[in-house]
Amino acid sequence: MTNVATSEPVSVWQLGGPLLEGPVWVARDAALWFVDIKSHKIHRFDPQSDSPRSWDAPGQIGFVLPIEAGGFVAGLQSGLAKFDERDGSFLPIVAPEPDLPGNRLNDATVDPQGRLWFGSMDDAEADATGTIYRLGADSVCVPTSPRVSITNGPALSPDGRTLYHVDTLGGIVYACDVDEAGMLVNRREFARIPNEDGYPDGPAVDAEGCVWIGLYKGWSVRRYSPAGELLETVRFPVSAITKIAFGGPDLKTVFATTANKHCSVIELESEPHAGDLFRFTVDVPGLPGTLIREGV
């Protein structure tokens, strides 16, 4: 299960965004959706078209994930909202942390049962106020993890029984079991990444159950075995890789979001593609995406 990358990462959309995040392949659109948190943008990239699209969000936005009945759930600083791409509208669903105005939502995934899992974080990236939530059938946000400053993930194993989430500043990727009630149990350290190697950002899981971790300020994406063994490192020409997503008809095209908000003017000269959308190919596919069926 090593050396699965078959091409070098190349920039496919020169956005120069401060903080691209949350890539997700939406099969019904045959397109990649992702966000620029700091620019308050939603982006759609169709690999077969030269006409990518963008929408304005009403504030910082951490993710958009598709709903089975149509449209998307958007993770805004103010809370969860339904986003309708047809008219660009946002309809509030629930605010999980009305008592924490300095927090925002950051990353998310959907489990095989159609349940939304998402994280919050301190927008100042200092206080341990972020946690991982599950959206319940009654639109109640259920906290499932201890508090940290910056959450990333979650991501799920192919069988949906193991959930991975990241304490970015702590440099730790955790694995948890998902019990029958939809709660996280048996939390354990899956991988630890020293800060000098980069900060672990968004995780994604492939069909072999291997966990891919984007490294912020680490110039790379790492692939770990289900046992937490480092298998492969894919190097990038930019320093901050926030997350990957598997796409294309065979789920063997990897899209990677990147950032440049940390770069000085001099650093931007040496990283002209920082903040772009990248693409490379692999010989082990990702997992098919699941549509949100609960809580919306």
Side-chain angles (χ1 to χ4, degrees):
M1 294 195 296
T2 59
N3 299 320
V4 300
T6 59
S7 68
E8 297 293 324
V10 295
S11 171
V12 293
W13 191 357
Q14 289 73 50
L15 284 162
L19 188 56
L20 306 187
E21 255 289 7
V24 58
W25 180 259
V26 180
R28 69 186 180 199
D29 300 334
L32 184 85
W33 291 76
F34 60 103
V35 301
D36 186 339
I37 295 174
K38 297 301 180 181
S39 295
H40 307 175
K41 292 286 188 181
I42 296 172
H43 297 300
R44 180 185 184 274
F45 178 76
D46 180 351
Q48 303 303 316
S49 169
D50 293 327
S51 301
R53 292 191 61 191
S54 301
W55 292 258
D56 291 322
Q60 295 193 94
I61 179 166
F63 60 85
V64 286
L65 287 170
I67 302 170
E68 185 175 58
F72 294 80
V73 171
L76 302 172
Q77 181 156 11
S78 58
L80 299 177
K82 289 184 180 179
F83 165 65
D84 189 333
E85 73 275 21
R86 296 171 298 180
D87 60 9
S89 63
F90 291 81
L91 179 65
I93 300 171
V94 63
E97 297 175 334
D99 57 330
L100 294 171
N103 271 15
R104 64 172 173 83
L105 304 187
N106 191 49
D107 198 2
T109 194
V110 184
D111 70 16
Q113 288 75 42
R115 300 176 299 192
L116 174 68
W117 297 77
F118 63 96
S120 65
M121 63 169 281
D122 175 22
D123 192 40
E125 303 181 3
D127 295 333
T129 55
T131 194
I132 300 294
Y133 291 93
R134 175 177 51 80
L135 182 64
D138 50 4
S139 293
V140 170
C141 299
V142 182
T144 62
S145 76
R147 295 277 180 181
V148 298
S149 175
I150 302 176
T151 64
N152 264 293
L156 289 145
S157 61
D159 63 7
R161 296 178 180 177
T162 302
L163 182 143
Y164 303 95
H165 70 93
V166 178
D167 173 359
T168 294
L169 292 185
I172 303 173
V173 182
Y174 290 101
C176 311
D177 298 332
V178 183
D179 70 13
E180 293 298 323
M183 298 302 292
L184 301 183
V185 297
N186 188 27
R187 179 176 286 99
R188 64 259 184 206
E189 185 176 308
F190 173 76
R192 183 179 289 266
I193 298 172
N195 289 163
E196 56 266 27
D197 290 353
Y199 294 88
D201 208 308
V205 179
D206 66 24
E208 290 184 345
C210 292
V211 182
W212 294 71
I213 303 289
L215 291 184
Y216 201 99
K217 295 188 177 180
W219 298 87
S220 62
V221 172
R222 289 183 173 182
R223 183 178 187 247
Y224 290 85
S225 76
E229 175 192 5
L230 177 59
L231 299 178
E232 185 172 4
T233 299
V234 179
R235 299 290 297 178
F236 277 70
V238 296
S239 60
I241 298 83
T242 57
K243 192 173 183 178
I244 69 158
F246 298 88
D250 58 3
L251 297 177
K252 290 184 178 181
T253 299
V254 177
F255 297 95
T257 48
T258 68
N260 69 20
K261 77 180 184 72
H262 62 288
C263 293
S264 67
V265 173
I266 294 175
E267 287 171 331
L268 282 174
E269 291 178 356
S270 63
E271 294 185 49
H273 291 293
D276 288 358
L277 178 68
F278 281 77
R279 178 172 60 194
F280 63 97
T281 55
V282 292
D283 58 17
V284 173
L287 299 169
T290 306
L291 302 175
I292 300 170
R293 297 192 295 272
E294 188 169 298
V296 294

